[in-house]
Amino acid sequence: MFCWSGVGPGSRERDIPDKYTAFAPFYDALSGEYPVYRAGRDRGIEALGPRPGEQVLDLGCGTGLNFPLLQELIGPAGMIVGIDRSARMLEQCRRRAARAGWRNVILIEADAVLLHPAAIRTAVEEQGGSPESDAALATYAMSLMPEWRRAWANLKALVRAEARVAVVDMKDPEGWARLLTPLARAACALGGADITAHPWQAVEEDCTHVIRFSARAGHLQIRAGALHKDPFWPLPAPGSVREIT
């Protein structure tokens, strides 16, 4: 099973120029994924801890860079629901799924800020998925959204009450790497991200058993937690934020 649909007002491209639509075919090569940002995805998905057979929502899924890691954990019995507002990014995502032979992917073209959760739930169910996902993540996506808290509210409306959630995003580097702050800010501005948005704060505010990591001298921030108490959720290690390399 592989499905792709547009739902509601979020399925229309915004009027402003969309860099991610224009550069969709080249995004994977130009995004700095392997030298920098893959570390955040790896640790964010590890902290999220998807289980075999679960359905995972990937909000702002882009070209599907999270999908290989998710597939390893949920297996063919699980399901990935990818939502993105760019049709061209989703086309790259579809091609990735087709090359890999994944039949457990549902792609929905919708704006994370403007979407109607009820319409999305209906569309997912009509395409063979569950109306509420077991887990959800947003990697380097919410800092692109000026109204990212609305996107967070929509994410919460698309998962079950006990869902596990993770947010991976960016901030200014710390320590010796502060010298690289102008470079980091320029890279984020080029991609349209607000490096000062700090959307992982939503996990800190709304979740229990929060797991905290940082990477690349604090430039990457990873948070994961449970929206409600989950007896299977591991307690975080002592300390505030643990740096990974």
Side-chain angles (χ1 to χ4, degrees):
M1 177 184 60
F2 177 87
C3 307
W4 178 11
S5 64
V7 178
S11 65
R12 298 194 297 267
E13 299 289 356
R14 295 174 183 170
D15 293 334
I16 61 173
D18 188 338
K19 299 174 185 177
Y20 287 84
T21 291
F23 292 102
F26 319 106
Y27 177 78
D28 290 2
L30 299 177
S31 64
E33 174 69 8
Y34 287 96
V36 181
Y37 297 106
R38 178 62 179 263
R41 293 186 198 278
D42 286 347
R43 189 47 61 98
I45 292 172
E46 177 186 341
L48 181 66
R51 301 160 186 159
E54 287 191 326
Q55 178 173 296
V56 181
L57 169 67
D58 189 346
L59 193 71
C61 65
T63 64
L65 286 169
N66 290 327
F67 287 13
L69 300 170
L70 292 173
Q71 291 283 357
E72 290 179 8
L73 296 171
I74 65 171
M79 181 76 70
I80 296 174
V81 177
I83 297 178
D84 202 279
R85 70 183 179 93
S86 170
R88 292 188 182 178
M89 294 289 273
L90 288 176
E91 175 60 25
Q92 298 303 311
C93 197
R94 183 197 65 78
R95 292 178 180 175
R96 184 188 302 276
R99 287 195 302 268
W102 298 327
R103 307 296 296 173
N104 59 342
V105 174
I106 296 172
L107 299 178
I108 295 179
E109 184 185 341
D111 190 306
V113 173
L114 302 177
L115 64 79
H116 300 303
I120 299 295
R121 289 195 296 267
T122 298
V124 171
E125 192 170 24
E126 288 175 346
Q127 297 172 60
S130 170
E132 294 182 333
S133 293
D134 302 298
L137 75 162
T139 56
Y140 312 118
M142 295 209 300
S143 60
L144 296 167
M145 308 170 191
E147 297 179 86
W148 65 261
R149 288 192 179 273
R150 289 180 61 187
W152 173 252
N154 287 332
L155 179 151
K156 292 192 295 180
L158 294 172
V159 298
R160 61 181 177 84
E162 301 83 9
R164 304 180 309 283
V165 294
V167 172
V168 179
D169 228 299
M170 300 163 288
K171 65 180 287 294
D172 287 338
E174 301 169 346
W176 66 267
R178 287 177 182 172
L179 295 173
L180 302 176
T181 294
L183 179 60
R185 290 198 166 208
C188 288
L190 182 64
D194 178 3
I195 199 172
T196 67
H198 301 176
W200 62 86
Q201 292 175 343
V203 177
E204 300 271 6
E205 295 165 2
D206 294 348
C207 295
T208 61
H209 295 162
V210 175
I211 294 175
R212 305 168 179 89
F213 291 110
S214 69
R216 299 296 185 259
H219 179 48
L220 310 183
Q221 293 292 315
I222 301 101
R223 301 292 188 278
L227 286 173
H228 291 281
K229 187 174 182 181
D230 182 339
F232 299 105
W233 187 258
L235 291 174
S240 176
V241 177
R242 183 151 66 92
E243 175 75 13
I244 58 173
T245 58

